[in-house]
Amino acid sequence: MFVPQLEPVAGSLALSALVAALPLATVLTLLGAARVRAPRAGLAGLAIAGLVAWGAYDMPVGQTVSGAAQGALFGLFPILWIVVNALWVYRMTVRTDHFDVLRRSFGRLSDDPRVQALVIAFCFGALLEALAGFGAPVAICSVMLVALGFDPVRAAVVALVANTAPVAFGAMGTPVVTLAQVTELPLDTVAAVVGRQTPLLALLVPLLLVALVDGRRGLRETWRPALACGLAFAVAQFAAANYLSPQLADIGAALAGAAALAATPSARRPATEQVRAAVLTGAHDADDADDADVDRVDPRPEVLRAYAPYALIVAVFSVAQLGPVKELLDRATQRFDWPFLDAASAEGQRLGANVFALPLLATGGTLVLLAGLGTARVLRVPPRAALGEWLATVRELRAAIVTVTSVLALAYVMNLSGQAATIGHFVAAAGGGLAFLSPVLGWFGVAVTGSDTSANALFGGLQVTAARESGLPPELLAAAGSSGGVLGKMVSPQNLTIACAAVGLTGREGDLLRKVLPWSLGLLLVMCLIVLAQSTPVLGWMLP
């Protein structure tokens, strides 16, 4: 059995932490400073993690390779299995033009661009984040806003800022599932704590969006629908994360937010010409184009088909949570000793990673696949075409596949070799201030990697180790890293590039960064204060 040392370098915790940080420093430097593409940066970081594990921590080469292989497999299944199938569902709606039907349906809800920003960027963006994530909401929502007449820069900024509150539960809960896996904390507990942090952001983000669209006037005139939308979203996300299923948190929240908007009378009032002229580019031309499109009456069966994929996903996940069904699905989970791996913690306790669980049916990706098969039938996509779209989705995600598998392999090597534990013990010297700094660590990770999933894989084990050393609840700091990470999404180079490419602003990523950075840092400060208060009796009662 391999038992890692906490101070393998000259018997010094500080020097050991410095060496242990080399894999992370490599990834962050290559991505942030050298602007190396994410797949290459991930592979380079993995190589450094392996060298540190073998050279400094005396981890046998066979166990190092075995641990990396387990991390890569977890990246493929269940993480990328979820993303591929979720994005496949979206591609089929585009192929059959039902995505356009859905867009027109949103446009008919209100002609007020401030309300349209809430419907598309916040509610529908959350739904896309729930299904796919990895930049898809930013790309799709910014294009839809431009199609409705928004200035491209404004559309990109609104889409980026809106893509915050749902991120921790995006891609069918992938970030929190990954966090639970790498920290060996119960998924229900981690999801519950995150579900008591990010809903507080959901109360603020809709108000911020209407202010971004139309300044003080927008906030003054549309605060009621914005607040109703944010409150409904927050309540639904909290309820699903704590009492139903973290995989359904964003889907339920998005639908609840949209329903609250539809039920708010002031959201359906026609916008004045002054507002439309101030918000939309070429307002009169946009009016003609929008009216021609929005006034097009889609047959009711086609509208129902446009909403069917999302209804199917909700139905499949809901049924899967029923007691007898859940037990049946769990029986298909395969558990076996991972070959060539026999690792313990620094305290000598055998790690759960020595046994690998393969949830063949009880994983979100398989459930989305079932909903996708139903979607293909409802949208009348021929089997050959549906298979072609699935294969095209895999090809589209090939760079993301390399990035996610390499980052998770790196995370597993760092955790198993003791590198994360060393850094955690060193960071724990911050004591009570660690609660304030935990969201910042998550923000930094997502800002550089572009993924809350990757940041959780990199820093989750570190957060838990530091929490235990400083006497803070490990669930709180693990969740804090993920909740703070969602606010780094809008400033990540990957997301900025996606937004610029989607609205035709290639090369102007710096302009977007300057516009969204103050909001990212401001909301991060709010999250840091929330977590700090939750670590004290002030808000400690909020924790489960």
Side-chain angles (χ1 to χ4, degrees), residues 150-172:
F150 277 66
D151 170 75
V153 173
R154 197 193 307 260
V157 169
V158 167
L160 285 166
V161 173
N163 190 221
T164 50
V167 168
F169 296 102
M172 293 300 170

Side-chain angles (χ1 to χ4, degrees), residues 260-280:
L261 272 178
T264 305
S266 57
R268 297 192 297 274
R269 292 173 187 165
T272 64
E273 200 62 37
Q274 182 182 11
V275 169
R276 291 180 62 79
V279 174
L280 304 180

Side-chain angles (χ1 to χ4, degrees), residues 133-438:
F134 291 88
V138 171
I140 295 166
C141 292
S142 57
V143 168
M144 290 179 71
L145 291 174
V146 169
L148 290 173
F150 277 66
D151 170 75
V153 173
R154 197 193 307 260
V157 169
V158 167
L160 285 166
V161 173
N163 190 221
T164 50
V167 168
F169 296 102
M172 293 300 170
T174 299
V176 292
V177 171
T178 302
L179 183 61
Q181 178 76 12
V182 299
T183 60
E184 297 189 1
L185 295 173
L187 173 60
D188 292 344
T189 304
V190 172
V193 179
V194 175
R196 297 166 194 235
Q197 294 171 345
T198 56
L200 299 177
L201 287 178
L203 295 173
L204 301 176
V205 172
L207 296 169
L208 177 56
L209 292 180
V210 297
L212 286 172
V213 172
D214 195 28
R216 293 182 179 177
R217 177 180 58 190
L219 194 57
R220 184 176 63 252
E221 295 181 358
T222 53
W223 68 269
R224 288 183 181 85
L227 186 59
C229 177
L231 183 60
F233 186 102
V235 170
Q237 191 182 61
F238 163 79
N242 280 271
Y243 306 113
L244 184 58
S245 166
Q247 287 90 345
L248 289 177
D250 280 349
I251 293 178
L255 296 176
L261 272 178
T264 305
S266 57
R268 297 192 297 274
R269 292 173 187 165
T272 64
E273 200 62 37
Q274 182 182 11
V275 169
R276 291 180 62 79
V279 174
L280 304 180
T281 56
H284 295 293
D285 295 336
D287 284 345
D288 296 338
D290 291 348
D291 291 344
D293 191 36
V294 174
D295 289 344
R296 175 180 169 184
V297 179
D298 295 299
R300 183 174 294 275
E302 295 305 307
V303 176
L304 293 176
R305 286 194 182 95
Y307 283 93
Y310 313 106
L312 282 170
I313 289 175
V314 172
V316 169
F317 272 84
S318 298
V319 171
Q321 296 305 313
L322 298 176
V325 178
K326 186 177 179 62
E327 291 179 8
L328 183 64
L329 296 177
D330 286 339
R331 287 177 194 165
T333 299
Q334 302 295 314
R335 292 179 175 83
F336 53 90
D337 290 334
W338 188 257
F340 309 112
L341 184 64
D342 189 11
S345 66
E347 293 76 23
Q349 298 177 338
R350 198 166 188 268
L351 295 176
N354 293 303
V355 178
F356 189 76
L358 198 62
L360 299 175
L361 298 180
T363 184
T366 302
L367 299 179
V368 176
L369 176 64
L370 293 175
L373 295 174
T375 295
R377 186 170 182 83
V378 171
L379 299 186
R380 299 171 183 170
V381 180
R384 183 182 295 272
L387 177 60
E389 290 295 339
W390 193 89
L391 295 174
T393 302
V394 174
R395 288 194 296 271
E396 181 182 333
L397 291 173
R398 58 186 180 274
I401 290 172
V402 176
T403 302
V404 172
T405 53
S406 60
V407 167
L408 278 159
L410 179 155
Y412 268 60
V413 170
M414 288 190 66
N415 287 336
L416 293 169
S417 65
Q419 295 172 56
T422 297
I423 299 173
H425 280 74
F426 181 73
V427 173
L434 188 60
F436 183 86
L437 295 175
S438 281

Side-chain angles (χ1 to χ4, degrees), residues 450-516:
S451 165
D452 201 33
T453 299
S454 297
N456 286 345
L458 286 172
F459 298 122
L462 183 155
Q463 298 267 28
V464 168
T465 301
R468 286 172 175 154
E469 288 298 308
S470 61
L472 292 169
E475 297 85 359
L476 174 62
L477 294 201
S482 188
S483 298
V486 308
L487 301 169
K489 192 88 168 179
M490 68 177 87
V491 297
S492 74
Q494 292 91 321
N495 256 23
L496 291 171
T497 302
I498 289 170
C500 285
V503 297
L505 296 175
T506 300
R508 295 183 59 185
E509 289 84 358
D511 295 339
L512 278 186
L513 177 61
R514 285 188 289 273
K515 288 182 177 295
V516 299

